[in-house]
């Protein structure tokens, strides 16, 4: 009887192992089919079923991956996770000079796959410790800065669109202005300098250390200041799939400029904003004068 039980257990383990291997081969087949479809220009809108953005936006992302990612990297067998009717593939890709782990998600219907989404920021909360626990997997600080700004920007755009529809463009832009409060924060947090200088230095500290932007203070006198910033705000419009479907770039930039013009005015500065870089708003140059 004991021998029979051991044989039964071993047989079950073998069956489970064979089943897992077959499933793994099936998932890898999906990935290889996707890469082959993408790289041979056979990807169509019919193969895309997005969770949030439009099909056209996701197709644009896939075309960018095809043009800029390495075929050798795409050919590597990725890690995969099957969750209900979704399959997630994780693999590192070098994109625009940076090597980042990407999560490609596919929706499965029978034996057919449909491209569902692409993320570069994801939290491995499937790997928490045994309960009770007060520790949770984290992500790098730069990714947390992007995540915070994406939440803030999504709320900003939602409010803007609502008030444009209900009250008009001017009302929407005025509603989002916070210059008086921002200037007050500068004077309170930086009390050891004249208010105008405090504003410029608070701006640099806030945008570098709280917002996570790349900030360079190039000039600061009593009558002039120059601040160069590489903002997550504008990077998000280029990098995310949903913002382009919600707001035009013209209005997106108008929100940014309206807020900063109001902040500068309340602090007693005139502000001229210039842009440099590969995509609109990649680098913002703030030129403050009295």
């Amino acid at each position: 009887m004991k021998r029979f039980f051991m044989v039964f257990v071993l047989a079950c383990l073998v069956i489970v192992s064979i089943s897992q291997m077959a499933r793994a081969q099936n998932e890898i087949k999906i990935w290889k089919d996707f890469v082959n479809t993408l790289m041979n220009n056979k990807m169509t809108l019919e193969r895309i079923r997005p969770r949030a953005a439009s099909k056209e936006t996701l197709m644009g992302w896939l075309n960018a991956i095809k043009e800029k990612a390495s075929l050798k990297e795409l050919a590597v067998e990725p890690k995969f996770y099957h969750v209900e009717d979704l399959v997630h593939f994780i693999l590192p890709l070098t994109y625009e000079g940076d090597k980042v782990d990407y999560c490609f998600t596919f929706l499965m219907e029978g034996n057919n796959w449909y491209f569902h989404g692409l993320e570069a920021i994801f939290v491995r909360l499937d790997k928490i410790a045994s309960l009770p626990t007060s520790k949770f997997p984290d992500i790098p600080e730069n990714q947390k800065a992007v995540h915070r700004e994406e939440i803030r920007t999504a709320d900003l755009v939602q409010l803007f669109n609502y008030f444009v529809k209900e009250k008009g463009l001017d009302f929407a832009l005025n509603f989002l202005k916070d210059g008086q409060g921002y200037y007050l924060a500068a004077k309170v947090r930086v009390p050891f300098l004249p208010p105008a200088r405090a504003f410029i230095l608070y701006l640099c500290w806030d945008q570098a250390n709280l917002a996570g932007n790349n900030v360079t203070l190039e000039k600061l006198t009593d009558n002039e200041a120059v601040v160069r910033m590489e903002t997550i705000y504008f990077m998000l419009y280029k990098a995310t799939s949903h913002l382009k479907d919600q707001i035009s770039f013209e209005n997106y930039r108008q929100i940014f400029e309206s807020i900063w013009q109001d902040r500068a005015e309340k602090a007693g500065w005139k502000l001229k904003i210039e842009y440099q870089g590969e995509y609109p708003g990649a680098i913002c140059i703030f030129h403050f004068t009295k």
Side-chain angles (χ1 to χ4, degrees):
M1 188 69 178
K2 183 177 181 181
R3 183 178 179 183
F4 172 79
F5 179 74
M6 292 299 296
V7 171
F8 175 75
V9 170
L10 287 172
C12 289
L13 290 174
V14 169
I15 292 171
V16 170
S17 178
I18 292 173
S19 176
Q20 289 177 339
M21 289 176 62
R23 187 169 184 175
Q25 290 175 352
N26 185 57
E27 313 297 9
I28 296 305
K29 182 178 180 297
I30 293 169
W31 177 256
K32 290 182 177 180
D33 188 31
F34 162 70
V35 172
N36 180 65
T37 300
L38 179 65
M39 301 310 289
N40 287 288
N41 300 315
K42 295 180 180 179
M43 195 72 187
T44 63
L45 293 178
E46 287 69 32
R47 300 300 300 268
I48 301 175
R49 293 192 182 174
R51 58 187 163 206
S54 67
K55 291 184 177 184
E56 290 76 13
T57 298
L58 281 190
M59 180 64 85
W61 264 108
L62 290 176
N63 287 332
I65 291 289
K66 180 181 66 177
E67 292 173 6
K68 297 184 180 182
S70 163
L71 179 57
K72 183 178 179 181
E73 289 181 326
L74 285 169
V76 172
E77 291 188 359
K79 297 178 181 178
F80 63 86
Y81 302 85
H82 207 134
V83 183
E84 298 180 340
D85 59 351
L86 301 178
V87 183
H88 308 281
F89 293 93
I90 298 177
L91 78 163
L93 292 177
T94 303
Y95 185 81
E96 296 187 343
D98 297 321
K99 196 159 191 173
V100 178
D101 281 341
Y102 286 88
C103 180
F104 292 77
T105 298
F106 296 84
L107 174 67
M108 300 302 302
E109 287 190 358
N111 293 323
N112 297 319
W113 59 262
Y114 299 91
F115 185 67
H116 194 52
L118 175 65
E119 291 292 337
I121 299 177
F122 44 91
V123 188
R124 296 308 305 268
L125 292 173
D126 54 313
K127 295 186 175 183
I128 64 171
S130 57
L131 304 184
T133 181
S134 298
K135 294 183 179 180
F136 304 93
D138 206 352
I139 56 178
E141 285 299 325
N142 62 328
Q143 290 190 355
K144 283 192 282 190
V146 172
H147 181 64
R148 285 191 294 265
E149 182 68 357
E150 187 170 355
I151 294 172
R152 188 191 75 88
T153 301
D155 290 342
L156 207 63
V157 169
Q158 185 177 32
L159 279 172
F160 174 81
N161 286 337
Y162 172 79
F163 282 119
V164 166
K165 181 180 178 180
E166 297 295 326
K167 300 288 187 178
L169 178 62
D170 289 342
F171 183 93
L173 291 173
N174 286 326
F175 181 85
L176 297 179
K177 291 177 180 178
D178 63 355
Q180 199 66 53
Y182 197 86
Y183 183 40
L184 176 61
K187 291 186 288 185
V188 170
R189 300 292 181 229
V190 190
F192 312 111
L193 292 169
R197 278 181 173 255
F199 170 81
I200 299 297
L201 291 166
Y202 175 78
L203 178 165
C204 294
W205 174 83
D206 168 53
Q207 293 300 297
N209 296 313
L210 297 187
N213 295 322
N214 292 323
V215 180
T216 303
L217 177 59
E218 296 187 345
K219 185 175 184 179
L220 178 59
T221 69
D222 289 338
N223 297 308
E224 185 179 13
V226 178
V227 178
R228 178 184 295 264
M229 289 200 302
E230 201 171 342
T231 71
I232 296 173
Y233 178 85
F234 282 113
M235 180 276 288
L236 283 171
Y237 196 87
K238 175 176 181 279
T240 60
S241 55
H242 58 88
L243 285 173
K244 296 182 183 67
D245 297 325
Q246 297 178 27
I247 187 171
S248 69
F249 181 76
E250 180 182 356
N251 283 346
Y252 192 75
R253 184 173 63 185
Q254 198 169 6
I255 291 172
F256 178 84
E257 292 183 352
S258 177
I259 289 172
W260 280 107
Q261 289 290 354
D262 181 59
R263 289 174 176 178
E265 179 187 346
K266 295 301 189 295
W269 292 98
K270 294 180 181 178
L271 172 60
K272 179 181 179 181
I273 303 175
E274 299 177 0
Y275 300 97
Q276 296 178 353
E278 296 181 3
Y279 59 90
I283 297 174
C284 307
I285 301 173
F286 286 1
H287 189 184
F288 297 92
T289 55
K290 287 290 188 178

